[in-house]
Amino acid sequence: MVTPYRVKQLQMREEAILDVAHVLLGKYGYDAMTMDDVAAEVGIAKASLYKHFESKEKLAAKTMVRLFDRTVSELAAQKAPTAYEKLRDMLEWALRERLKGGIPHLPSTSSTLEQSLMTDEPYLASLFTLNAALSQLVDQAKGEGAIAKELPTDYIVTAIYARTCDPTLEYMQRGKTYSDDEIVRFMVNGFFGGIVRAQ
Amino acid sequence: MVTPYRVKQLQMREEAILDVAHVLLGKYGYDAMTMDDVAAEVGIAKASLYKHFESKEKLAAKTMVRLFDRTVSELAAQKAPTAYEKLRDMLEWALRERLKGGIPHLPSTSSTLEQSLMTDEPYLASLFTLNAALSQLVDQAKGEGAIAKELPTDYIVTAIYARTCDPTLEYMQRGKTYSDDEIVRFMVNGFFGGIVRAQ
DNA sequence: GTCTATAGTCTGATAGAC
DNA sequence: GTCTATCAGACTATAGAC
């Protein structure tokens, strides 16, 4: 018989580590985040950190996997009637997560991380699942006549990911001129409707 | 009488350093670019590098200043009749520069760099000039009725900058599925017209 | 060549589960 | 009381600014 207490403790600690990594990656980015930071913030020794994740890269990869899995769940939970509205709601959700300090969906801030992710199986699998779900929604929205067929689906999917690491978000937030709601509105409307004419 | 030869040599070397920094910053980003890389690529000793630029941050700042100044010149040279078309042409130019390996207009890939730039006077001055020119064009385009008045000018200006560091560009380019012309078209049309309906 | 930062390792002490 | 996980922190190795 196993001791579920120990196991549960370990799981909780792993969650805590991932929570901290999520915040710190969002705040500082991969390169500027140190493993000492993470350990200190969680309140554990660095050696314990390495009991859970064999490297900084694996920790970041796992954090991304959790984000992708959450995003897939979020997509599945969408109640909007059309694919177009689901996409809008999904982007709005992602932007609000980002405003709260979450990590972007693309590891665009670090080419070193990006390279190591490209060989991380769980990461690729999770990304693939999310990609499939998003591509399907975009194609559906095209079928509804809501989205321009001239733009390829893979371009649109990539562009949606890219919105979550769009520095416009931080610049607007830093400016303190606009509320979070306004920022999200500008970005969602700007992305779907463009900047030409009235919305 | 001064010795113009020596001076000219120095200026040429400084230009060469900035050219190399421009390419390497575009290729690897600030954090991943090393001063050893730069010195090696220019073909000079690292110590010589520090004769021209007292720090990596100053080198990056000067590279950005040169980019901003070039962008202002590019704006001034625009022949298009309307402000709206000038903005489109300017974005297209910036994206093509980026595709050729140039640096983005926002230092969004490195928060450490960003912080040091915020205290760099020449950088701020150059940025301010470019900002003023772009803001004026955007307001003009709003006056022409070409751009949605619902979106604040500072949001649009920031969003234009952000297009030049949009990772969508690299992802599309890496995919090899589309030509540079197609990628630029997707991004310019996507930005101005949005992704809704036909272009 | 020097110095700092940081990923990753190792050790001896300690606390708590059983 | 024993044992195992965890702790604090010293330590190594390396990279890179200067």
Side-chain angles (χ1 to χ4, degrees), chain B residues 58 61-62 65 68-69 119-128:
Chain B
K58 288 283 178 191
K62 190 70 206 292
V65 166
F68 290 162
D69 292 350
T119 61
D120 188 279
E121 281 304 332
Y123 172 84
L124 291 175
S126 187
L127 173 61
F128 187 80

Side-chain angles (χ1 to χ4, degrees), chain A:
Chain A
M1 188 58 192
V2 289
T3 61
Y5 171 74
R6 286 269 173 82
V7 175
K8 212 170 177 182
Q9 285 290 79
L10 280 180
Q11 284 172 346
M12 280 180 58
R13 196 168 64 171
E14 191 150 317
E15 277 298 304
I17 295 169
L18 288 171
D19 288 343
V20 167
H22 185 93
V23 171
L24 294 185
L25 284 173
K27 204 168 169 183
Y28 303 119
Y30 178 76
D31 291 314
M33 178 189 81
T34 72
M35 293 297 264
D36 291 80
D37 285 345
V38 177
E41 187 70 25
V42 179
I44 60 173
K46 196 159 56 149
S48 306
L49 204 52
Y50 282 91
K51 287 270 178 215
H52 292 270
F53 303 97
E54 68 187 25
S55 70
K56 188 183 179 184
E57 286 167 352
K58 289 283 179 192
L59 170 57
K62 190 70 205 291
T63 311
M64 294 297 291
V65 165
R66 207 178 56 156
L67 173 68
F68 290 162
D69 291 350
R70 281 180 184 174
T71 308
V72 169
S73 302
E74 187 63 27
L75 273 179
Q78 293 291 354
K79 297 279 181 249
T82 65
Y84 171 67
E85 286 168 290
K86 282 181 188 171
L87 283 172
R88 280 189 83 106
D89 290 347
M90 137 77 192
L91 178 58
E92 182 167 337
W93 171 79
L95 291 176
R96 288 191 190 281
E97 287 292 310
R98 188 91 184 81
L99 279 170
K100 281 191 287 181
I103 40 178
H105 282 68
L106 286 183
S108 65
T109 41
S110 169
S111 52
T112 56
L113 173 62
E114 211 179 328
Q115 291 209 317
S116 89
L117 289 179
M118 282 307 146
T119 61
D120 188 279
E121 281 304 331
Y123 172 84
L124 291 176
S126 188
L127 174 60
F128 187 81
T129 305
L130 176 55
N131 257 340
L134 269 181
S135 299
Q136 200 194 336
L137 263 188
V138 170
D139 284 336
Q140 225 174 303
K142 280 184 178 176
E144 290 166 0
I147 281 186
K149 292 189 179 62
E150 290 80 4
L151 295 171
T153 299
D154 59 349
Y155 165 76
I156 293 176
V157 170
T158 309
I160 292 174
Y161 286 138
R163 261 357 78 209
T164 65
C165 49
D166 192 324
T168 308
L169 201 72
E170 282 112 318
Y171 276 83
M172 291 289 112
Q173 194 178 25
R174 220 176 295 162
K176 301 272 182 208
T177 316
Y178 308 102
S179 69
D180 284 4
D181 284 346
E182 284 174 316
I183 295 172
V184 169
R185 184 151 42 83
F186 297 154
M187 292 196 65
V188 173
N189 288 346
F191 178 68
F192 283 95
I195 64 167
V196 173
R197 284 161 304 180
Q199 186 270 104

Side-chain angles (χ1 to χ4, degrees), chain B residues 32-97:
Chain B
M33 179 189 80
T34 72
M35 294 297 264
D36 293 78
D37 286 345
V38 177
E41 188 71 24
V42 179
I44 60 175
K46 212 167 21 160
S48 308
L49 203 52
Y50 281 92
K51 286 277 178 208
H52 291 270
F53 302 97
E54 67 188 25
S55 69
K56 186 183 179 184
E57 286 167 351
K58 288 283 178 191
L59 171 57
K62 190 70 206 292
T63 312
M64 295 297 290
V65 166
R66 208 176 56 154
L67 173 68
F68 290 162
D69 292 350
R70 281 179 184 175
T71 308
V72 169
S73 302
E74 187 64 27
L75 273 178
Q78 294 291 354
K79 297 280 182 246
T82 65
Y84 171 66
E85 286 168 291
K86 282 181 187 170
L87 283 172
R88 280 189 83 106
D89 291 347
M90 137 77 193
L91 178 58
E92 182 167 336
W93 170 81
L95 291 177
R96 288 190 190 280
E97 287 291 311

